[in-house]
Amino acid sequence: MTDAPLRLRLDTAALVANWRALDALSGAAACGAAIKADGYGLGAAGVAERLAGAGCRDFFVATWREAERLAGLGFDVAVLHGARAEDMAAAASGIARPVLNTATQIARWREGGGGRCDVMVDTGMNRLGVSIAEVEDGLLDGLAIDTLMSHLACADEDSAMNARQATALRELGGRTAARRMSLANSAGIALGADYAFDLTRPGLALYGGVPRGELAGVLHQVVTPEAQILQRRTLAAGESIGYNALFTATAATEVAILNIGYADGYWRGFSNAGCARVGDAALPVIGRVSMDLTAISVAAAPGLVEGDWVSLDYALPAAAAASGMSQYELLTGLGQRFARVWTA
Ligand SMILES: *Cc1c(COP(=O)(O)O)cnc(C)c1O
């Protein structure tokens, strides 16, 4: 196949260092990895292979389609959205275990013969999960539960809800046959030992996202988009560029047009706000990001020519602030046109 004109540089050492740091912060608890949404856009198999090599044993995806793409690679995968009727054949094949969320899913699982499963209990987020009352009434009795888990609604904030959720989960200790309990996502790990239970489930922070200030010095950037220059031009003073003419040159401006746009997940919020880089030279985005193309000023590196490559600034907290997108969206939106290139 033809080489792509845009690529994601994915830093193995940074990914592994992030997991090791989160594992250390998890104390005695094991540290897993959320690799749903294709490993937050990086590529689930590539992420899982590298983290398994570092010692990670627990992987979480959202759907059975995602589990099927990992089947046969030897990872211990749990499917967060449980088991619909449509999923039972895949579940029976043993490629992963469901995280059961509702009384209906639990009945379906028992009818299908049961077997090892996880269960999500709702402790206040009111998204997925059985209620505490259902657990206390015996809904889970006799189930072969590996991990009884819950999910924090406000872990990235200093909210009283965090402690309430941890207490609610802790009070279920011993009420089921679960081998382990689990609560913390990335931000939850930073809340400390009371939130670690037996297993933590970071996603965002593995990939360099920083959900809480405590993690800022701890995590490394993993993902860097790079794009090739398709055309060089010079804007004369008074000329504008791009859709809706959102940038007008006040003096002659050297410009490069990059092969990247919002269809690649380089969102329109980067219009007049993002920045590319070659070496130490900062090359600001000018005008509106379009579907497949983005213009930058190359005043700081006028020697750039058609075919050269530039990196886009993608340190996630800063890129989120610049674009108005969440750090999660900046990862999971990364499109299929990138060549994904893992470096050591
Ligand atoms: C996505 C998800 C995680 C990981 O969350 P991050 O905020 O990305 O660390 C953990 N647990 C559940 C249930 C999830 O859905």
Side-chain angles (χ1 to χ4, degrees), residues 22 33-36 40 60-62 80-81 99 120 125 127-128 149-152 155 182-189 200-207 211 328 331:
L22 294 162
I35 57 168
K36 60 197 183 186
Y40 286 47
F60 296 89
V61 298
L80 289 163
H81 293 187
V99 181
M120 176 69 72
M125 189 169 188
R127 197 175 63 171
L128 292 179
M149 70 182 75
S150 192
H151 193 51
L152 293 164
S182 174
L183 179 62
N185 62 345
S186 299
I189 291 171
T200 59
R201 311 185 306 269
L204 182 74
L206 293 171
Y207 311 111
Y328 293 89
L331 290 169

Side-chain angles (χ1 to χ4, degrees), residues 313-341:
D313 280 2
Y314 223 66
L316 288 169
S323 65
M325 305 296 285
S326 76
Q327 298 179 63
Y328 293 89
E329 290 163 308
L330 291 181
L331 290 169
T332 59
L334 293 166
Q336 288 309 308
R337 297 194 292 198
F338 286 102
R340 284 167 166 76
V341 181

Side-chain angles (χ1 to χ4, degrees), residues 18-61:
N18 290 346
W19 182 78
R20 287 195 205 286
L22 294 162
D23 187 38
L25 287 170
S26 300
C31 182
I35 57 168
K36 60 197 183 186
D38 201 22
Y40 286 47
L42 282 66
V47 169
E49 176 194 315
R50 284 165 178 80
L51 294 183
C56 181
R57 291 292 168 262
D58 297 275
F59 295 97
F60 296 89
V61 298

Side-chain angles (χ1 to χ4, degrees), residues 235-241 245 247-253:
L235 289 186
E239 282 189 313
S240 63
I241 190 165
F247 175 88
T248 302
T250 52
T253 305

Side-chain angles (χ1 to χ4, degrees), residues 198-323:
D198 303 306
L199 170 68
T200 59
R201 311 185 306 269
L204 182 74
L206 293 171
Y207 311 111
V210 182
R212 289 187 64 94
E214 296 91 329
L215 296 174
V218 175
L219 302 169
H220 307 273
Q221 182 174 343
V222 178
V223 182
T224 307
E226 299 177 336
Q228 213 169 7
I229 294 173
L230 293 177
Q231 185 166 9
R232 283 275 281 107
R233 65 173 62 250
T234 305
L235 289 186
E239 282 189 313
S240 63
I241 190 165
Y243 283 122
N244 308 109
L246 289 190
F247 175 88
T248 302
T250 52
T253 305
E254 291 300 313
V255 170
I257 309 301
L258 304 181
N259 194 123
I260 190 170
Y262 62 77
D264 303 302
Y266 195 70
W267 303 113
R268 277 175 21 142
F270 287 112
S271 303
N272 281 327
C275 193
R277 222 160 275 271
V278 163
D280 290 335
L283 313 172
V285 170
I286 53 174
R288 176 161 275 174
V289 172
S290 42
M291 185 185 295
D292 318 299
L293 299 166
T294 297
I296 56 174
S297 161
V298 295
L304 288 169
V305 297
E306 247 177 79
D308 284 346
W309 288 80
V310 303
S311 307
L312 281 308
D313 280 2
Y314 223 66
L316 288 169
S323 65

